[in-house]
Amino acid sequence: MNISAVERDTGLGKDTLRVWERRYGFPQPTRDDNGERVYPAEQVDRLRQMKRLIDQGHRPGRLVAASDEEFEQLCSVATSGGRSEAAATGEASLIARMIALLKANDVPALRQALNQAMMRMGLQRFVIDVVAPLNDAVGEAWMTGEFQVFEEHLYSEQIKSLLHQAIANLPTGGAPRVLLTTPPDEQHVLGLLMVEALLGLDGATCISLGTQTPLVDIQLATAAHAADIVAVSLSAAFSGRQVRPLLSQLRAMLPASVELWVGGAGAQRMPAQDGIVPLPTLQAALDALESWRRSRANDN
């Protein structure tokens, strides 16, 4: 199908399809003799299923990153209905309200809505079920021209302030010790803060270096803080061509005993590399933390 036919068939707008192609690497249309996008039938079918799931509150980035098994399970739950669908619908309504507040430039009301959601849901659910889909929604609105740059910055500042406050109130001192940062040329910090909040809430000791840390300083900080894990975040804006050489270099600079985790939208485009743990979703970070603890318990 061409892009117009896909739009009619799935209910997903042309701008959305183009944004997903750039941001997530899916769909992956071919080109006809005129250079126009042509979408294979299996991709159209998955897009159709994604639209139904998104209407129930699921995030496009999460759906793209899901394995075939995970995606089928989500579709099965959506078909059977139940409490999960109702909860997702409520979260989608909350996100739509926050987007409307952003468009209205109503900062006090937005801040109040975010605070209330975090207090009601708890930090973990707030980060996974509200902040993550809000990031996707705001990012897509900016890429399609629905939001101005200042509105995207306004949103980022509100979330950063809220997460910094929440992280400051978390207890510290547990294992593992996780060093968090982004490499040079990666300025996006929200993904880093979200992971720090989740890992800190689960008892890990998090040491954040902020963004754009030179690799040699990551190496030095790892030794200075006796870090067990180095976690770096790569956004969708990070150059895909830089991912493999950068991570290979960083991996070689770290002791073999230190795990290297890579999260964020950029991790979804990451080729398989030995000694590197990809975290395409926030849940994957929690799973990796559990795996680290389980492996250390078995060693002892």
Side-chain angles (χ1 to χ4, degrees):
M1 291 184 180
N2 62 28
I3 193 168
S4 295
V6 173
E7 181 180 44
R8 290 192 300 270
D9 185 271
T10 65
L12 295 167
K14 295 176 184 177
D15 287 339
T16 297
L17 293 169
R18 296 187 188 102
V19 166
W20 287 2
E21 184 181 337
R22 293 194 302 270
R23 186 178 180 88
Y24 305 122
F26 180 85
Q28 295 179 326
T30 57
R31 299 277 178 166
D32 63 17
D33 293 340
N34 297 319
E36 299 297 326
R37 288 173 171 83
V38 178
Y39 296 81
E42 62 273 15
Q43 292 189 25
V44 176
D45 183 57
R46 192 174 182 101
L47 287 167
R48 195 182 299 117
Q49 293 173 310
M50 286 178 64
K51 177 62 165 62
R52 287 197 290 268
L53 292 170
I54 289 166
D55 288 343
Q56 294 179 9
H58 292 276
R59 309 185 305 275
R62 168 74 174 85
L63 297 176
V64 170
S67 66
D68 289 341
E69 182 180 354
E70 290 171 334
F71 190 81
E72 289 176 8
Q73 185 176 11
L74 289 171
C75 291
S76 176
V77 170
T79 302
S80 62
R83 194 202 68 80
S84 296
E85 182 176 341
T89 301
E91 288 153 10
S93 176
L94 175 64
I95 290 162
R97 180 184 167 218
M98 291 181 180
I99 290 293
L101 291 173
L102 261 174
K103 288 181 179 178
N105 295 307
D106 192 341
V107 177
L110 174 64
R111 187 181 297 121
Q112 182 181 28
L114 290 168
N115 271 289
Q116 288 176 344
M118 186 173 70
M119 292 179 66
R120 183 176 69 254
M121 302 171 73
L123 183 57
Q124 184 181 94
R125 274 196 60 210
F126 175 71
V127 169
I128 293 175
D129 296 334
V130 175
V131 179
L134 257 178
N135 287 350
D136 286 342
V138 170
E140 289 181 20
W142 174 75
M143 291 181 75
T144 58
E146 186 180 352
F147 271 6
Q148 301 299 319
V149 172
F150 80 88
E151 291 171 314
E152 189 272 339
H153 286 187
L154 178 67
Y155 163 74
S156 296
E157 288 304 309
Q158 299 309 310
I159 294 294
K160 283 192 288 186
S161 175
L162 193 60
L163 291 180
H164 275 302
Q165 181 180 352
I167 290 167
N169 292 324
L170 294 176
T172 60
R177 295 177 63 81
V178 185
L179 189 78
L180 299 111
T181 189
T182 71
D185 300 324
E186 177 55 81
Q187 303 178 29
H188 294 81
V189 73
L190 281 186
L192 209 62
L193 286 172
M194 292 161 69
V195 171
E196 182 179 358
L198 293 179
L199 297 183
L201 187 65
D202 210 349
T205 298
C206 295
I207 305 104
S208 178
L209 302 182
T211 61
Q212 302 192 85
T213 304
L215 298 192
V216 67
D217 285 295
I218 296 176
Q219 179 188 40
L220 293 172
T222 300
H225 291 277
D228 301 297
I229 298 162
V230 172
V232 298
S233 177
L234 300 174
S235 71
F238 193 80
S239 171
R241 290 178 296 179
Q242 295 184 44
V243 172
R244 181 186 286 274
L246 182 144
L247 295 179
S248 296
Q249 183 180 355
L250 180 57
R251 177 66 273 178
M253 295 170 69
L254 298 174
S257 60
V258 175
E259 291 192 2
L260 176 57
W261 295 358
V262 184
Q268 297 173 12
R269 309 192 307 267
M270 189 181 77
Q273 290 182 251
D274 291 338
I276 299 174
V277 179
L279 308 177
T281 66
L282 291 170
Q283 183 59 49
L286 295 175
D287 294 343
L289 178 62
E290 181 182 355
S291 177
W292 185 93
R293 288 172 169 161
R294 189 166 53 246
S295 67
R296 296 311 182 276
N298 292 338
D299 289 344
N300 295 332

